[in-house]
Structure formats: C-alpha cells, structure tokens
Amino acid sequence: MSGDIAVLGAGMHPWGKWGHSFVRYGTVAARAALADAGVDWRQVQSVVGADTVRGGYPGYVAGATFAQALGWQGARVTSVYAACASGAQAIAAARAQILAGLADVVLVVGADAAPKGFFAPAGGERPDDPDWLRFRVLGATNPAYFALYARRRMALHGDTPGDFALVKVKNAAAGALNPNARYRKAVSAEEVAASAVVADPLRLLDICATSDGAAALVLSGMDFARRHGAADPVRIRAVSTVTPTYPRDVLDLPDIATDSAAGVAPSPQSYRASIAAAAYEEAGIGPEDLSLAEVYDLSTALELQWYEDIGLCKAGEGAALVRDGATALGGRVPVNASGGLASFGEAVPAQAIAQVCELTWQLRGTAGKRQVPGARVGITANQGLFGHGSAVVAVR
C-alpha cells in the first residue's frame, strides 16, 4: 500500500503580534485551507489540533477547540503536543488515520498566541521537568542554548559571526517576499552585526522572535483526491518523528547534562541527522533529490547545523554553503524560501505545519516571487523538546 496522502489545501493566518486568541488565528487558517482545497467543512471527517499549552485551558484540547469554532459537525478529533514538533506529530496522526481508512479528509490546525520575549516554563514547582530545571538551576534561556551551539560550531568548524549573519540576510530577503511573514524587510550583514548582543556571539537579529500565527492543511487519501478532481496533488510521502539514540554526548535542549559514553559508544549519526535520515528512507529519496528545504532556524547558527544534518553537505561545511549562495533563492538547494523563523518568529504549534504549507505552494509553483523553479521534492526538519523528531517529505 502506498504511504502517500494528498495535500488538498494549505492556509495560514499572517504572523505577528496581533493581540487575539489562538482560536481566532487557527480558525482563519483552517477556513483558508478549506477554501484552498475546495472542501466543505462538513466533508471533514477528522480534526487534528496541535496544542498550545500557554493559552489556558482550551489549548490543551486544540482539536476540539477548532472543531467547535468551525461548528460542531460530528468529526472525530485528536489533540497532540510535542513542543516545536507538534505540527509534524499532528500531520503524522492525520496521515495514520487516512492510511488506516478511518477518515478520507482530515483538517490539521496549529495556532498560538505567544508571550512577549523568550519562552519560559509554565508556573509551579516541577523538579522532574528538565525544561523547568534548566531555567531554575542554570538560568539558561533558549538564547543561551543557541549561543552554546554557535560557540561549538566556531570551535569545531571555524564558523564566524559573519557566517551566521549571512543566514539572516538570506532569510530576510526571502521573507520580504512572503505576505504571511511578520518581518518583511531585507537586512544587511552590517545591520546584523550592529544589533544588540543577546547571548554572545549571537545578536538580536541572529535569533527568532516569538509570534502569534497559525497554519492549517487539508489532507486526504489519494482516492478521495482523484474523486475530488485533484489528479496531481502535492503528496506527503514520509513523516519522521523519531527519538534520540542512547547515549548522547552532545548537549541538547532542554537537557543540562549528556549521557556517559563509557559503556556504549555514541551513534555515528547525530540525533538531528537521524530525523532526516528516517524521512529519506521512508520516502525512498536522498538529499541529492531535494529541490528545497524548510528547516528550523531558531538561530542563524542552528540553520547551518541543519544543512549538515539533512545531508546538503558534510559536517563543518554548512558555512561554506551559505557563503556560496547555495541555500539562497536561486541557489542549488534553497533553504527557508519562506523566510524561516527569522522572518516569522515562533508560533510553536503552527510552525511545522507552516513548513509544509510552504512546500505545498512551492511544489504547486504558486509561491510567487520566492518560487523555486521546477520544485518537485522538499523536506521539512525541526525538533521539539524532550526528543520529538520532526521531518516531512513532500513530492509532486
């Protein structure tokens, strides 16, 4: 049995700081996706919501929240939470339902109304929660972790702050062409270097903001797509949600220690690389087949790491790719043609879904001025706290 499912519709609520409920954002994105698909809400047999846990009680039951907002019509409902991988987990749940024959049409929605500033853990005393511990014990905010990764790349591979700045310049140029992006202004490397230091060596323009926003997809089985008149839709061919392999000898958010490698040797493949590798294996493709990629640029330095982890180059060669323009629009394999989190900011439950929206528009050839010519295969990649892998392969 083919593992392909069809992407019939994609929709977003523009990202920014709008001051409204995440339910409002998600409903707008859902209706946009339904309209794009030409599917009536009453045809949807299942709703999968990617949860936001900062938005109060409704955030914990996001699937039902959006089903109610769109109008109860009896659809089955699922809610998932996997931190920044929530959207990919929601897509995986929808895909499983479709392939199992439980639903012909599934709506996937993720939305958030993010706090101002960097993310902090929810209130209360939770000494068994590593995310709470790293704030309480170390005082290590997300930007502090991003800076540790940046310093590691500088020490191991000779990357420079100038290399990191080029990532922001590239992504800002793409984001300026995206009507859904929060930041739609090109920046120069000099402007990045002149922005305030947040966590040395990273500056304000090296890290992503927190944002409000939403993204949604209408997914279906291939038989339904054909009956619906979509003879050649964008197809999701693989979804990877793998976990790390013991032992891990590189510090990874939110952990504050590594595993001992005294008894068992570490895997030759890093955790992030294993996320992409599982997606490639399931899809029957390799990095050489990619037309484009959407990766999780929490910081400029982390984007360079993803180049290596998704197989665009060997370890330590990520900076050379951005210097050569290989990952810019017009380059060999554009990365973050959407503008990435650098241009959108983080709306946690929505961002992995938003990545697939961008692949959908690119593979359809409807991405406008940021269109990657002849795009046929794309991959998304990110990860969520606590070992949540996230990669999706889409093809046309």
Side-chain angles (χ1 to χ4, degrees):
M1 182 178 71
S2 169
D4 284 7
I5 62 170
V7 182
L8 294 184
M12 295 180 70
H13 184 291
W15 293 29
K17 285 288 188 178
W18 308 114
H20 302 300
S21 161
F22 80 94
V23 182
R24 176 170 173 173
Y25 306 138
T27 303
V28 168
R31 287 175 175 154
L34 289 166
D36 184 46
V39 168
D40 186 274
W41 162 235
R42 290 166 293 186
Q43 292 178 274
V44 173
Q45 297 168 329
S46 179
V47 180
V48 183
D51 290 4
T52 171
V53 300
R54 288 174 304 280
Y57 169 73
Y60 290 96
V61 287
T65 300
F66 296 127
Q68 182 180 32
L70 292 164
W72 295 125
Q73 45 84 310
R76 69 170 67 233
V77 69
T78 306
S79 297
V80 301
Y81 182 71
C84 293
S86 295
Q89 294 276 354
I91 292 168
R95 181 172 179 247
Q97 290 177 11
I98 291 168
L99 294 179
L102 297 176
D104 288 328
V105 184
V106 181
L107 173 67
V108 177
V109 191
D112 206 0
K116 183 177 181 180
F118 54 74
F119 290 119
E125 300 286 316
R126 298 190 314 283
D128 57 347
D129 176 354
D131 201 32
W132 180 88
L133 280 173
R134 56 107 173 187
F135 281 95
R136 186 65 171 265
V137 176
L138 295 184
T141 63
N142 287 6
Y145 265 90
F146 307 156
L148 289 173
Y149 281 117
R151 280 291 174 195
R152 186 174 189 274
R153 287 198 62 85
M154 293 171 74
L156 288 179
H157 307 308
D159 291 4
T160 69
D163 295 325
F164 304 152
L166 291 177
V167 176
K168 173 65 177 183
V169 171
K170 170 187 73 71
N171 288 347
L177 305 175
N178 193 332
N180 288 310
R182 176 179 178 181
Y183 300 106
R184 300 188 60 196
K185 179 183 176 183
V187 301
S188 67
E190 291 75 21
E191 288 175 298
V192 178
S195 62
V197 173
V198 175
D200 189 60
L202 299 179
R203 296 179 175 272
L204 185 63
L205 295 184
D206 281 305
I207 59 176
C208 69
T210 60
S211 289
D212 298 356
L217 296 166
V218 176
L219 307 176
S220 80
M222 297 306 297
D223 288 342
F224 179 92
R226 284 187 284 270
R227 294 196 304 271
H228 189 63
D232 184 27
V234 171
R235 303 182 301 282
I236 291 176
R237 180 153 291 173
V239 183
S240 167
T241 57
V242 299
T243 55
T245 300
Y246 177 86
R248 283 197 291 174
D249 60 352
V250 176
L251 195 66
D252 200 11
L253 191 83
D255 297 326
I256 58 176
T258 57
D259 300 326
S260 172
V264 180
S267 168
Q269 188 176 61
S270 72
Y271 170 46
R272 287 196 190 93
S274 75
I275 297 171
Y280 288 141
E281 181 177 5
E282 183 179 343
I285 65 164
E288 66 279 1
D289 299 307
L290 293 177
S291 305
L292 74 159
E294 288 286 309
V295 305
Y296 192 41
D297 59 316
L298 290 165
S299 80
T300 51
L302 284 176
E303 177 167 324
L304 296 182
Q305 186 68 46
W306 277 115
Y307 296 171
E308 300 161 18
D309 292 334
I310 66 173
L312 297 185
C313 61
K314 296 179 181 177
E317 296 179 357
L321 284 190
V322 76
R323 289 186 212 124
D324 293 342
T327 57
L329 290 174
R332 176 171 62 86
V333 183
V335 176
N336 287 339
S338 65
L341 296 182
S343 299
F344 277 77
E346 281 199 275
V348 169
Q351 49 214 34
I353 301 171
Q355 288 180 322
V356 178
C357 287
E358 180 66 19
L359 291 191
T360 299
W361 294 322
Q362 290 283 353
L363 297 179
R364 286 177 179 173
T366 59
K369 293 182 179 179
R370 65 183 191 280
Q371 179 65 49
V372 176
R376 304 295 294 178
V377 180
I379 191 171
T380 71
N382 69 46
Q383 70 177 102
L385 295 180
F386 314 113
H388 289 116
S390 168
V392 177
V393 171
V395 301
R396 182 77 184 274

